[in-house]
Amino acid sequence: MSKASLSSYLRDIRFPFCAGCGGTTVATVFLKAVQELGHKDFQGFVFCSGIGCASWIPSPHFKADSIHTTHGRSIPVATGVKLVRPDLKVVVFGGDGDLVGIGLSHLIHAARRNLDITVVMVNNMIYGMTGGQVAATTPMNVKTTTTPYGGFEGSLDTARLVATAGASYAARWTTAHLVQLRESIKKALVTKGFSFVEVVSQCPTAYGRRAGFKNAGEMLLWLKEQSVTFDEAEQLSERELEEKIVVGEFVSRILPTLSERIQTVLRKAKKQ
Amino acid sequence: MVNHLTSGSHFMRGNEALAEAAIVAGCRFFAAYPITPASEISEHLAKRLPQAGGIMIQMEDEIASLASVIGASWAGAKAMTATSGPGFSLMQENIGYAFMTETPCVIADIQRAGPSTGQATKCGQGDVMQARWGTHGDYASIVLSPNSVQEMFDLTVRAFNLAEEYRTPIILLADEIIAHMSEQMVVPPLEEITIVDRKKPKSTDKAFFDGDGVAPMPSVGEGFNVTVTGSTHDEFGVRFTADPKIHRVLVTRLVEKIRSNVELLADFEAVNVDNCEVGVVSYGCASRAVYEAVEMAQDRGIKVGFIRLKTIWPFPEKAVEEMAQKAKNIIVPEMNLQQVFFEVQRVVKGAARVTPVNKIGGGEMVTPEELFSVIEGSVGER
């Protein structure tokens, strides 16, 4: 891994994340991936993010164009940017609350359209910024501030959902898989079409405390232990899989992108 | 070469005139979700915008529609969405975002009878206050109200121009009747149509959210590293979520850039206002009955003045105040249950008696005869 400084990608503003937050890890791994792809700075990149801790990764910390949108709407804003400027690399950062809670429909539709953007979802399985309320990604039975007796709803398998909806690329890793995550982000950034990287991440403050973890390290170890590959998952029953985090690439394929399809429409229209 | 509507006379529907005007004004991105009675705008632009090199996309809902318009605007395109009352409600959060981030864009609301699904195919004017106060927090809005196919064209061009000049969302508050009727309209020679483009920054500029009025606006991808946020921010776009002064300065400036220009933004038709004993204030479809009612009254020797609002918000207070100096009675016909009525009452401060004339349901308009009888009756109350 390159030892070169990542500070050239950052403004001189400190990340506001709690000690032990996985968001800082995701930010660092993302910057290393960008560096390894040979980008000296963020020229040609645009970042869109919604509301929540993960949305603060690019805005305003990345020395880049960034649009910090309303809650859940980073993907449709990114859609407008990308359709007008298909030459720009548009990257969305968001948490699970933002992207699969309030904004889920936009994620599915962007995958269906194969909109040529990259989405990095930091899945901390909780609404962290608002203090630890249950999310669409919180595992069954976990205690949160709004499920004091334990959760009673199923959780969403987002990377699989995005792959099914029509994305070019979808992968899931955790903050305990630094190398795989970096390689996956690199692959997502060079993929034509909709690329999605889910990072299951620790939130020691709003999740770990109530879920019975002593500290961030313990959570990280738990993420690592719970992770299984596709091959390993095949050997497990549905019941056993409920406790697990399936990691790896869910899909990686070449498909026509929304921008390409729209170019065809523009050519047809001009002939009329 | 952009494929514009040709100059000269056309016979068109209101929604088509609106769509064509958007292309003339420079709109190159349109996103919307199907809704009666606005869908013809989408259908027309789906065909016409790509011919002009622009993009039309049908989004998954009205929230995404306005969100993508905001993204397109920051990517440098003039952009618009179109909807009706229920969709307009879904857009309210992002209208506040566009106001807070100073994003030029146009939102056409083709009003129908609400609340809720109401009478989806029938006309109403019930979104006047939603257009003023729909989003949360402190803000000011610019809302235009066409009353003919010609004005669907003219005011759409004006809406884009104001959006670019003021860097704020502009609401084109039309209604089902104006949108669905066909009339003659005249497109002036294109070189005579004023087209305003946003002020662009110099390469050395760093502050894009400041000044006494409207700061220059960069696009993403131009190398400015612009940070756009709906949170309270300083002149460089950096978030300050607790500093009282930065919030006061920002929000006061955003409101004042509209409030302090009320005279420039005011746009109305005034008939016989200098010499009237009865006044009428109306707008949009309801105002179309007023001309005939005024004629009927004048034939009977009643002096009637008429103010027709083409800009509803900010409310042209001065014009209505002046009318109240002459007219002892002011009548406000509208297809809702008293929305502009209360505004007129507030502005005249008791100087004139204000009488509402309201009709809702079934898309039925106030007729000239009905309005005339109220005018005649009000003279009797002198």
Side-chain angles (χ1 to χ4, degrees):
Chain A
M1 203 184 277
S2 166
K3 294 268 191 274
S5 164
L6 299 174
S7 60
S8 63
Y9 301 103
L10 293 167
R11 290 177 209 276
D12 196 14
I13 302 170
R14 280 176 62 94
F15 279 114
F17 303 133
C18 305
C21 172
T24 321
T25 311
V26 178
T28 310
V29 172
F30 179 83
L31 294 179
K32 281 192 193 296
V34 167
Q35 190 179 52
E36 288 185 17
L37 286 174
H39 300 282
K40 300 248 177 308
D41 53 35
F42 279 135
Q43 198 185 336
F45 281 78
V46 179
F47 294 92
C48 296
S49 60
I51 299 299
C53 298
S55 294
W56 283 19
I57 291 175
S59 169
H61 304 97
F62 287 1
K63 205 187 283 176
D65 290 320
S66 64
I67 306 178
H68 177 230
T69 74
T70 46
H71 193 19
R73 316 306 168 194
S74 52
I75 289 176
V77 169
T79 308
V81 171
K82 185 66 186 181
L83 292 183
V84 174
R85 287 291 305 271
D87 58 311
L88 298 175
K89 192 166 275 300
V90 182
V91 182
V92 167
F93 271 88
D96 45 312
D98 198 51
L99 293 172
V100 304
I102 192 167
L104 176 61
S105 118
H106 311 309
L107 178 69
I108 298 170
H109 284 286
R112 168 180 74 84
R113 295 180 175 117
N114 207 24
L115 173 71
D116 198 1
I117 65 171
T118 297
V119 175
V120 179
M121 182 174 98
V122 184
N123 176 9
N124 60 9
M125 304 171 287
I126 200 82
Y127 283 88
M129 190 174 264
T130 46
Q133 296 80 14
V134 70
T137 45
T138 309
M140 189 72 84
N141 300 324
V142 169
K143 284 185 182 172
T144 71
T145 60
T146 48
T147 51
Y149 306 108
F152 45 83
E153 298 171 84
S155 67
L156 211 53
D157 188 351
T158 312
R160 191 182 306 276
L161 175 70
V162 169
T164 308
S168 281
Y169 184 81
R172 178 190 293 125
W173 299 103
T174 77
T175 42
H177 297 85
L178 300 184
V179 175
Q180 296 96 322
L181 177 60
R182 192 183 71 233
E183 292 307 311
S184 222
I185 290 172
K186 279 159 69 176
K187 201 161 169 185
L189 286 172
V190 300
T191 292
K192 270 182 19 162
F194 193 74
S195 57
F196 179 80
V197 180
E198 175 179 348
V199 194
V200 184
S201 172
Q202 76 278 13
C203 174
T205 306
Y207 183 100
R209 263 192 310 160
R210 292 183 194 93
F213 293 97
K214 282 204 201 73
N215 53 47
E218 213 179 86
M219 285 193 82
L220 207 51
L221 205 60
W222 173 75
L223 289 176
K224 195 172 182 178
E225 284 165 357
Q226 293 309 106
S227 296
V228 292
T229 63
F230 291 108
D231 287 344
E232 288 164 345
E234 273 183 23
Q235 310 303 317
L236 299 173
S237 68
E238 269 188 33
R239 174 74 195 81
E240 288 168 317
L241 261 179
E242 271 177 21
E243 309 279 309
K244 299 294 180 189
I245 303 164
V246 180
V247 295
E249 285 182 353
F250 286 72
V251 73
S252 178
R253 56 192 166 187
I254 296 166
L255 291 173
T257 69
L258 181 64
S259 296
E260 288 167 350
R261 289 180 178 135
I262 284 184
Q263 285 308 312
T264 310
V265 169
L266 290 177
R267 277 195 298 274
K268 278 186 198 166
K270 290 213 168 132
K271 281 186 199 145
Q272 290 200 359
Chain B
M1 184 60 199
V2 171
N3 185 350
H4 284 135
L5 195 63
T6 52
S7 302
S9 183
H10 295 268
F11 186 74
M12 297 192 100
R13 283 181 113 186
N15 274 344
E16 289 169 6
L18 185 160
E20 288 292 339
I23 296 175
V24 169
C27 176
R28 292 297 174 268
F29 185 89
F30 177 84
Y33 184 80
I35 189 167
T36 303
S39 297
E40 297 86 6
I41 300 169
S42 287
E43 289 166 351
H44 198 76
L45 284 173
K47 187 173 176 216
R48 293 281 292 126
L49 207 47
Q51 292 174 343
I55 287 166
M56 183 277 174
I57 186 163
Q58 184 172 306
M59 293 299 282
E60 51 270 25
D61 56 34
E62 287 87 349
I63 300 173
S65 298
L66 183 52
S68 66
V69 159
I70 288 166
S73 185
W74 277 101
K78 289 187 186 178
M80 175 172 82
T81 184
T83 187
S84 188
F88 192 46
S89 294
L90 288 178
M91 289 180 186
Q92 292 300 334
E93 186 189 12
N94 275 331
I95 289 174
Y97 179 85
F99 174 80
M100 190 68 154
T101 53
E102 299 178 78
T103 306
C105 57
V106 175
I107 299 129
D109 173 17
I110 314 298
Q111 296 169 97
R112 65 190 209 187
S116 190
T117 317
Q119 293 187 321
T121 64
K122 303 301 180 191
C123 191
Q125 291 185 305
D127 297 353
V128 172
M129 285 299 170
Q130 186 180 199
R132 173 62 190 90
W133 297 111
T135 200
H136 48 279
D138 293 299
Y139 76 112
S141 60
I142 301 177
V143 180
L144 312 183
S145 168
N147 94 329
S148 62
V149 173
Q150 181 70 54
E151 281 188 0
M152 285 294 252
F153 187 90
D154 297 344
L155 294 189
T156 300
V157 173
R158 184 165 197 250
F160 276 95
N161 287 347
L162 291 173
E164 296 289 310
E165 184 182 350
Y166 286 85
R167 265 186 75 181
T168 198
I170 307 293
I171 292 154
L172 188 72
L173 192 67
D175 53 66
E176 187 275 337
I177 288 170
I178 307 300
H180 280 167
M181 71 186 185
S182 296
E183 275 187 328
Q184 189 187 25
M185 66 152 191
V186 177
V187 178
L190 292 177
E191 62 276 11
E192 288 175 19
I193 300 175
T194 304
I195 303 293
V196 178
D197 293 316
R198 64 194 69 171
K199 191 165 65 182
K200 297 296 290 181
K202 299 191 293 285
S203 61
T204 49
D205 283 349
K206 296 254 185 291
F208 311 119
F209 305 93
D210 73 334
D212 297 327
V214 184
M217 179 178 171
S219 296
V220 296
E222 289 181 339
F224 286 98
N225 289 341
V226 59
T227 53
V228 182
T229 177
S231 298
T232 293
H233 49 272
D234 67 7
E235 64 267 40
F236 304 107
V238 174
R239 200 167 40 236
F240 284 84
T241 55
D243 188 300
K245 182 160 175 268
I246 288 173
H247 186 80
R248 276 173 212 145
V249 167
L250 172 68
V251 178
T252 306
R253 176 176 66 78
L254 295 181
V255 169
E256 281 306 312
K257 82 176 173 184
I258 292 170
R259 265 194 198 162
S260 66
N261 285 312
V262 59
E263 291 308 315
L264 284 171
L265 291 164
D267 185 14
F268 52 85
E269 182 187 350
V271 183
N272 298 335
V273 174
D274 295 336
N275 183 24
C276 62
E277 49 187 325
V278 182
V280 179
V281 176
S282 192
Y283 57 94
C285 62
S287 68
R288 290 179 70 98
V290 180
Y291 301 95
E292 203 181 323
V294 167
E295 261 180 41
M296 290 161 79
Q298 279 167 345
D299 287 348
R300 284 165 176 75
I302 306 168
K303 292 174 181 170
V304 185
F306 177 28
I307 291 175
R308 181 172 67 82
L309 308 175
K310 296 203 252 176
T311 302
I312 300 185
W313 305 110
F315 196 75
E317 298 187 1
K318 208 169 134 198
V320 175
E321 266 173 39
E322 281 171 8
M323 179 186 253
Q325 302 307 312
K326 306 279 179 192
K328 290 299 135 214
N329 289 285
I330 296 179
I331 297 159
V332 187
E334 48 188 339
M335 281 179 75
N336 56 43
L337 297 180
Q338 307 172 0
Q339 297 200 14
V340 163
F341 162 75
F342 285 116
E343 192 65 13
V344 173
Q345 206 174 46
R346 180 184 72 77
V347 166
V348 305
K349 299 180 186 74
R353 170 204 283 266
V354 186
T355 307
V357 178
N358 307 101
K359 208 172 197 183
I360 60 166
E364 287 180 5
M365 296 173 73
V366 177
T367 65
E369 292 74 19
E370 285 168 339
L371 187 54
F372 167 71
S373 73
V374 179
I375 292 171
E376 199 179 32
S378 76
V379 177
E381 291 164 13
R382 272 178 290 194

